[in-house]
Amino acid sequence: MKATYIRTISLLLMLSFLSISLYAQLAITGRVVDPTNAQPIAGASVLINGTQRGTTANDKGEFSLPANEGDQLLFSAIGYQTLTVGVKATTRSLTVELDPSNTDLNEVIVSGYSTPQTIQRTAGAVGLITSRDIQRTNGLHLQNYVNLIPGVKVEMRTIAAGNRIVIRGYGNQTNFNGVGYKAYLNDIPLTDGDGTTFLDDIDFTTLSRVEVLKGPASSAYGNAIGGVVNLYTERAPIGKTSISQQVLAGSYGLFRTNTSIKTGSDNTSLNINYGHQKYDGFRVHGGSTKDFLSITSDTYMSAKRSMSIFVGYTNSYDLLAGEIDSVAIREQPESSDPAYVSNNASIKTESARAGISHSYQFTDRFANKTTIFVGGQVIDQPFAAGVNKANKLKFGGRSVFTYSNDASPLRPTFSLGGEFLKNFNYTKSYGLSGGVLGALRSDLEVQAMQYSVFAQAALQLAPKLTLSAGAGLNYVEYGITDMRAATTTPLYVNLTGYKRFKPILAPRAALAYQVTDNVSLYASVSEGYSTPGTNQVVVAQTGVVNYNLRPESGTSYEVGSKGSFLNKTLTYEIAYFNMTVTDKLVPQGFAATPTIPAYSITTNAGKVQHNGLELALQYAYRPGAGVVSLIRPFASYTYSDFYYKDYKSDNNSDGKTVDYTGRKESGIAPNMLNAGVDVEVRAGFYLNSTLMYVDKMPINLPNNHFAPAYTLVNGKLGYRSALGNHVNLDVYVGSDNMLSSTYSSLVFLNLANPANNRPLAYNPSPKITVYSGAMLKYIF
């Protein structure tokens, strides 16, 4: 009787504990997505930390898993960083965003083609920089990490401004800003309506990802001849709230702070960051002060709807020291142009932009993403001979509909969309000498507008063979109104004019062959274009509208392969392209007359041949045990055989015409090499090292002046660790240009200097610099 009583009590207790356990257990459902494009990460692993229980996300990124309050869920996928999310009593549905790693990059999803897909299955050359790549550096300079992409080179005019990106030889055709490519920040266009890209109001320290579509490879972005650069800011991890403070100090008065608040619920995230930066610079009159504020928000309203918002504000002041010649860069690189100092040459910029993106999955096969945006800039820029003042307003939007059907044997995918962008620029120019303001030179209202419609499609013709094709129809218009009052000056001309280019049709076709699950081959042919800028369409000195001017155009043929071996620890990418650019824009000079000052007219007088080879290789070794957790050597190489195929100083073909046919294209180094190694230790220590070699390059059309070759070695040593459950710490020291090389990160091209026949083209960069910093994060 007593034994029966004890067994009954024990059974009741077991049932009680079991019922409590069953009551506390939660049915967790959710999706695993890529944060920059909200695309599902198929096959992502979901595990309960400390157990063998888990599941795998389906092809839509969806998962379902029973868990208890307090459990820690580990989310991981090849090519992405592992994320831990805690289960709360209120947790029922999760949307988990995984950031890409800098290993296994071929498995990361990118946009820009018919539908988002992994890099390895994309029939084109794509460069990807992740947050881990940015963290290898101090994060301030775009060139320190984007230059790791073969075929891409970032150049800087000053220590903290004047960034321009050169992609396969396009981007340095003007000595200010970038042309020939398009750039976006969180889907908001950074490129203006006249085709120029201004990057000085972007806080590079807040970036988490940079995608570069090289060449005219994407109809969805207008087939710019150089390619597309997509920048994405950091997101807050879903389900976590944190506050962090970062401080960085270094050579030449460098001081940078970042204060960040990140908060996320099960399906929303918000990241607010304020950054302050001050840099005295190593050159006379070369300092910089910048303040940044950015707000990024993601909301997953349901499995079908998501919305992203970005708001950014920048206030910057960058002094300009001017250009010096090839002798001064060796003997006095810290010197400046006296005319720049006398006029306090600088760029003062106040900028704001905002955009909202909405994605909706109508059905499993049909979806739409729409982005609208608005932005403005106020720019005050004294220079050696005057001062320019500009107020700019930009607005527009883009919308893309996509369709895919994996159930069909042909697995068709299709996208159709459009983009609209318009600028209102109010610009004034005055004389300036010794800091004394002179007469009004120009007062212009410039309206530049670009709009396009595009379509892309892909069909799986055979189990391993996919055909893709696309086309964009692009429209460009410029309108200029001269706002000056009438004047008695005989040299005055009214600059009002209007130019609308013929619609530009840019098609593309590609074949991709999946050799194995991890290796692919592709071949493509595509056409691209680059429009002339506003100052080339209307000749300021004469007021003549250059109605005969045509956009540059190019046809690119490309073959390549991407893949991985050794259980995806060794990855590679190789691409060869051949592109002929016609209607190359050439400035043609005219001497002054008694009634008209000296002026230049841009003409279509050139043809350039671009032949290039790009190679990227990396190996990620992860020992299963021991002190070291990761050893990652990597290398990228670019070979550029770019030359003038039929290129003249003008299109007059008279005795004054100079023929540069057969000369190497100025501003392009024939060889570039980036290599490095990352080492991580389980205790938290890490070492990042990078070597960059840039071959000598011609800097003028006759090829009788060259920028010498140089080698840069950068390194960073640090320690990062979690201090308990709530505090993360990262402390580091680093050095750039450890070999103290003399070089210029940006060279003004094709400039004459009759005084000594040495082009005033060089903008020196500092020799060896050091920095140290720390980041402290508290997780609530």
Side-chain angles (χ1 to χ4, degrees), residues 146-157:
V146 173
N147 285 357
L148 300 178
I149 301 174
V152 182
K153 185 172 183 284
V154 178
E155 302 175 338
M156 291 178 61
R157 184 183 181 188

Side-chain angles (χ1 to χ4, degrees), residues 389-593:
K389 295 179 178 291
N391 295 322
K392 298 183 177 182
L393 174 66
K394 178 167 60 177
F395 65 92
R398 60 182 281 116
S399 183
V400 184
F401 291 89
T402 59
Y403 171 84
S404 61
N405 185 359
D406 292 339
S408 169
L410 294 177
R411 298 173 65 89
T413 63
F414 183 77
S415 65
L416 176 68
E419 179 176 306
F420 172 82
L421 169 63
K422 186 165 187 176
N423 274 74
F424 289 94
N425 299 343
Y426 301 91
T427 63
K428 290 186 178 183
S429 177
Y430 298 86
L432 187 68
S433 178
V436 179
L437 191 66
L440 176 69
R441 292 178 175 176
S442 65
D443 185 357
L444 302 178
E445 176 186 314
V446 180
Q447 297 185 32
M449 181 166 58
Q450 292 194 24
Y451 49 100
S452 63
V453 291
F454 50 84
Q456 298 185 125
L459 294 175
Q460 187 169 302
L461 303 180
K464 294 184 177 182
L465 183 66
T466 301
L467 170 67
S468 57
L473 187 60
N474 307 279
Y475 299 83
V476 181
E477 299 180 24
Y478 296 150
I480 298 179
T481 304
D482 193 336
M483 303 298 292
R484 288 181 295 178
T487 176
T488 59
T489 304
L491 297 182
Y492 173 80
V493 289
N494 191 288
L495 307 184
T496 298
Y498 173 79
K499 172 69 174 179
R500 179 180 182 182
F501 293 98
K502 293 181 180 179
I504 306 165
L505 179 63
R508 179 180 188 270
L511 280 173
Y513 182 73
Q514 199 69 32
V515 181
T516 68
D517 286 343
N518 299 327
V519 175
S520 64
L521 303 172
Y522 71 88
S524 70
V525 56
S526 54
E527 293 189 7
Y529 72 97
S530 177
T531 57
T534 307
N535 61 338
Q536 297 171 319
V537 173
V538 176
V539 183
Q541 292 83 354
T542 66
V544 174
V545 179
N546 203 342
Y547 287 108
N548 295 322
L549 205 59
R550 300 180 300 276
E552 297 178 355
S553 61
T555 302
S556 177
Y557 299 90
E558 181 176 335
V559 293
S561 178
K562 290 170 279 192
S564 60
F565 299 99
L566 304 178
N567 197 26
K568 296 188 178 182
T569 58
L570 177 65
T571 60
Y572 76 92
E573 180 175 357
I574 185 171
Y576 172 79
F577 67 92
N578 173 295
M579 182 169 67
T580 301
V581 180
T582 59
D583 287 329
K584 190 72 175 175
L585 298 171
V586 179
Q588 178 181 353
F590 290 85
T593 70

Side-chain angles (χ1 to χ4, degrees), residues 135-138 247-249 686-688 714-719 730-736 738 769-774:
Q135 292 165 9
R136 300 181 69 259
T137 72
N138 58 26
V247 178
L248 170 72
Y686 60 89
L687 172 67
N688 308 124
N714 300 340
K716 181 180 178 182
L717 176 66
Y719 172 79
D730 186 2
V731 293
Y732 52 86
V733 295
S735 177
D736 292 338
M738 298 169 68
T769 61
V770 296
Y771 61 87
S772 62

